[in-house]
Amino acid sequence: MQDIFALPIEELQDLFVAAGLKKFRAKQVFQWLYQKSVFDFTAMHNLSKADIAVLQEKFTVLPHSLEILREQNSSDGMTSKLLLGLPDGNSVETVLMHHDYGYSVCVSSQVGCDMHCAFCASGLKGAVRNLTAAEIVAQVYLFNERLREQGAMVSRVVVMGSGEPMLNFDSVLQALDFLHREDTCNMSYRNMTISTCGIIPGIKRLEEQGNPINLAISLHAVKNELRTALMPVNKGYPFVDVLTAAESYSKASGRQITYEYILLKGKNDSPQDAELLSNYLRYKQASVNLIPANPVPEQGFERPSKAAVERFLRILQKNRINATVRKEMGKDIDAACGQLRAKFAKEQEQK
């Protein structure tokens, strides 16, 4: 059986005709899938029983095949996190966040991660494989299905879950292009963000694409030895070169770069660190998103005090750096990337 999720309408038409279905059925199914977020052929009411039987025999729809292994909802009702079981037995996390401007989904781009950032749970066991474009799109549409009764749908997507998006560039861009289509989510590229640890070839490819997708850089330190210790990728792509590539992207796309900076107690949260960060970002089209660390027990990092976070922020603002402290969402539901998947895997090993 062939999975038809996230295929272009033209390819869907060819498959349906080859299966003995009328060509116009492809448009009907396409509308059910991407405008109504209905993934069960039997619920597509304008299809004949005979055609439904053919569809069930020959095709599958990925969101309908995913298993929800775990679900966690924050106490304030603003964040939902799912651990999704994929058909091949692997699992990934995806998160829905409710903001005052609508709904955003943080999607994963890989099963696991090979970046091995010291403070992150995603890479505890490395990367297993890249996700397909359909598997990335499905993370958005699972939540669209849930929001359907409210007459709502996801309006923003952030590729900031498990995995390094620039190491799965083609599938990530294919997924975002699909979500951008007028006959699917009709999502603006300006409502999409790709977060990278600083894979410079990927940043350059994104610039060549020419779409105004937002770029976020996981920076986390501006002392070379410290950043290498926290983020081994700094050996291959030193952060000063990453800043240069990001600034080039900003000028080409017209989009401000967001620099993610996780604050780790006693590691990178001193006034000196704040001044140094200001020096590197001064006069750049950039903003800083300060992230007080979510504790990851396996890694032994602590969260700075509220006073230390506010002091760091004040120094950046004094130096005219646009900076904010990330609004915490889902702290009570294993909010850190990879945390839920790691916990689930540990439980399975202990059985």
Side-chain angles (χ1 to χ4, degrees), residues 291-318:
I291 310 166
N294 276 311
V296 178
E298 296 90 346
Q299 307 295 7
F301 290 109
E302 295 182 48
R303 185 186 191 90
S305 67
K306 186 176 180 181
V309 173
E310 292 175 348
R311 179 184 62 195
F312 200 99
L313 176 64
R314 284 198 304 272
I315 292 172
L316 294 180
Q317 292 173 336
K318 177 201 71 175

Side-chain angles (χ1 to χ4, degrees), residues 94-351:
T94 185
V95 183
L96 175 74
M97 292 161 284
H98 188 186
H99 308 274
D100 53 6
Y101 54 77
Y103 292 93
S104 67
V105 171
C106 180
V107 300
S108 294
S109 56
Q110 295 179 307
V111 177
C113 184
D114 266 340
M115 294 295 96
H116 300 292
C117 298
F119 47 80
C120 182
S122 295
L124 290 175
K125 294 192 175 182
V128 178
R129 66 170 176 85
N130 286 335
L131 294 183
T132 65
E135 288 169 334
I136 297 169
V137 173
Q139 295 173 62
V140 174
Y141 267 92
L142 268 180
F143 287 117
N144 276 343
E145 181 184 29
R146 292 179 168 212
L147 294 171
R148 185 176 63 214
E149 290 184 1
Q150 304 174 32
M153 65 187 304
V154 174
S155 59
R156 293 173 184 261
V157 64
V158 183
V159 191
M160 199 181 283
S162 297
E164 168 50 61
M166 297 304 187
L167 297 183
N168 190 17
F169 188 92
D170 291 336
S171 291
V172 168
L173 265 290
Q174 186 181 338
L176 296 184
D177 286 342
F178 190 85
L179 293 169
H180 176 69
R181 291 177 60 125
E182 288 186 7
D183 54 4
T184 61
C185 278
N186 195 24
M187 190 182 297
S188 168
Y189 286 121
R190 295 174 184 272
N191 285 352
M192 301 174 179
T193 301
I194 294 177
S195 176
T196 176
C197 290
I199 307 297
I200 293 174
I203 297 172
K204 290 181 176 179
R205 285 188 67 188
L206 191 64
E207 181 176 331
E208 291 166 2
Q209 291 287 317
N211 295 322
I213 295 169
N214 298 300
L215 179 65
I217 304 291
S218 295
L219 191 57
H220 306 316
V222 285
K223 294 175 181 174
N224 206 51
E225 288 186 8
L226 175 61
R227 188 168 191 266
T228 298
L230 295 175
M231 304 179 69
V233 69
N234 194 61
K235 295 176 184 177
Y237 302 109
F239 76 87
V240 289
D241 296 335
V242 174
L243 295 179
T244 299
E247 185 70 0
S248 176
Y249 179 78
S250 177
K251 290 177 180 177
S253 66
R255 307 304 288 162
Q256 178 176 270
I257 307 299
T258 298
Y259 289 94
E260 308 282 348
Y261 193 99
I262 193 165
L263 287 165
L264 303 162
K265 183 179 179 181
K267 299 288 185 181
N268 64 352
D269 63 340
S270 70
Q272 181 191 22
D273 289 307
E275 293 288 356
L276 199 56
L277 178 60
S278 300
N279 289 341
Y280 277 109
L281 297 186
R282 191 172 279 117
Y283 309 123
K284 289 182 169 59
Q285 183 71 4
S287 64
V288 177
N289 192 8
L290 297 174
I291 310 166
N294 276 311
V296 178
E298 296 90 346
Q299 307 295 7
F301 290 109
E302 295 182 48
R303 185 186 191 90
S305 67
K306 186 176 180 181
V309 173
E310 292 175 348
R311 179 184 62 195
F312 200 99
L313 176 64
R314 284 198 304 272
I315 292 172
L316 294 180
Q317 292 173 336
K318 177 201 71 175
N319 290 322
R320 300 180 182 276
I321 304 298
N322 182 14
T324 56
V325 178
R326 175 181 289 179
K327 179 182 177 183
E328 288 198 299
M329 301 188 74
K331 185 184 175 185
D332 58 334
I333 57 167
D334 298 317
C337 290
Q339 215 169 25
L340 181 57
R341 178 172 173 265
K343 181 183 288 187
F344 181 81
K346 190 173 182 180
E347 291 173 3
Q348 296 302 108
E349 290 173 359
Q350 292 172 348
K351 286 185 177 179

